Each structure stands twice: as structure tokens, then as C-alpha cells.
Amino acid sequence: MIAPLSKIHSNSEEVFDFVVNKGYEVKGLCDIGIKALPKQYIQPLEERITTSIVRTDDSIPIIEASNWDDPKVGYQIREAAQNWGLYQVINHGVPIEVLDNIKESTHRFFNLPTNEKKKYTKENSISSNVRYGTSFTPEAERTLGWRDYHSLVYISDDEATSFWPSSC
């Protein structure tokens, strides 16, 4: 049984238990209708990014990748990752239909019931090619990360249909 929202939100141990131990992950907080962030997800002021280090003069780097063998591509990715932390890759050769299918299957997976998703956590996984969880180390972090992940490793169509969730 899920604890009442007011109890989860006001109690640090309840949030941790709900998200980590019971495996509802961050999406579980969203699913129960949370309206404000629990205090564990709010970074202390001294650890927050300040406007003094935010770049406002440029756009997010766009990397032209039609020729992956060009050393310039690797250099641009490294520079963008170091200086921005993110970038957009264009002309990578992945058809838009594939990207759309990935987005749709990800939405379907995260909309599965918690017990179905739990089959793919690292503790319970029925396949090493599928992982689901929250990407933080709660025992080591003062502030919890606000992100769940779902990773799929493609090997072959036969293996994918054997081990991947039907939503994917």
C-alpha cells in the first residue's frame, strides 16, 4: 500500500523508502500527484548553478555528424561535453521513424505498472540487456537526483523479443 502523499512529502524516510526501497522510483512520486519537491531533491544553495557560470551568448552546440570518421566530430563532441554538458547531433543517419519509435516505446515502458518495471531493475533483471532504475546513489548523495532511466542493449531481433519488455 502506498503511504498518503502528505506523509511521503513531509517525511524524509518515507520519501526514501517509497522511491528507493519500494522501487516506485521518481515517476512514482509524479504518479501519486506530488505538487512540490520533497526536500531531498532540492540542492543546497551553495551547490546550485549560478548565473555567473551559465553561458548566454551562444546556442547549444550543434554537431554535424554525416562523416563520423572525421576527427573534427570527436573533437566537437568532447568540447561540447566539457564546455556545455550537452549538444545536438545532426545528420547522424538515424531515421526519424526510429527516433520516434524509441520515444514512443520509452513512454509505454514508463507507463507500465511499477511491478512490471521492477522486473528490469538491476536486482531483479531477467535480462542483462535491459535496465531500469533511478540514477543516483542514495546512500552517498546529500541531494537525490530527479531522474529515472531505462536502457536497452540491442543484440539481435531474436534476443530483443525474448528479453525486452513487450512495450518496447
Side-chain angles (χ1 to χ4, degrees):
M1 181 173 159
I2 297 175
L5 177 60
S6 58
K7 184 176 181 188
I8 289 174
H9 189 264
S10 63
N11 184 322
S12 298
E13 290 175 18
E14 285 289 335
V15 171
F16 187 88
D17 188 53
F18 179 78
V19 172
V20 179
N21 297 333
K22 292 182 179 166
Y24 284 98
E25 312 296 343
V26 175
K27 185 173 183 308
L29 290 174
C30 297
D31 290 345
I32 62 170
I34 196 164
K35 302 288 185 222
L37 288 175
K39 64 183 178 183
Q40 301 90 308
Y41 289 96
I42 301 172
Q43 278 190 328
L45 285 174
E46 66 274 8
E47 294 178 21
R48 294 183 192 173
I49 295 175
T50 67
T51 55
S52 65
I53 60 172
V54 174
R55 295 179 64 170
T56 59
D57 57 334
D58 296 312
S59 68
I60 294 171
I62 298 174
I63 298 170
E64 160 62 52
S66 58
N67 182 4
W68 284 106
D69 295 329
D70 185 344
K72 185 171 75 173
V73 174
Y75 174 79
Q76 289 175 331
I77 290 172
R78 185 178 72 243
E79 287 294 306
Q82 286 176 342
N83 296 324
W84 283 85
L86 65 134
Y87 49 88
Q88 179 181 3
V89 178
I90 61 170
N91 299 324
H92 43 66
V94 179
I96 193 72
E97 298 82 24
V98 171
L99 298 174
D100 288 342
N101 287 340
I102 290 169
K103 285 192 274 186
E104 289 173 22
S105 69
T106 300
H107 283 283
R108 285 193 304 269
F109 179 83
F110 279 103
N111 284 324
L112 289 172
T114 299
N115 289 341
E116 186 64 26
K117 290 183 289 195
K118 277 181 162 181
K119 293 177 184 177
Y120 299 97
T121 60
K122 69 179 179 182
E123 298 81 20
N124 302 321
S125 190
I126 58 177
S127 166
S128 61
N129 297 332
V130 181
R131 285 286 184 262
Y132 164 69
T134 295
S135 56
F136 60 86
T137 309
E139 300 79 19
E141 296 183 28
R142 288 184 10 194
T143 307
L144 301 180
W146 189 259
R147 58 199 177 270
D148 290 343
Y149 69 89
H150 176 226
S151 63
L152 302 169
V153 176
Y154 180 80
I155 296 174
S156 72
D157 287 344
D158 291 337
E159 288 177 304
T161 55
S162 304
F163 296 110
W164 284 14
S166 59
S167 63
C168 301

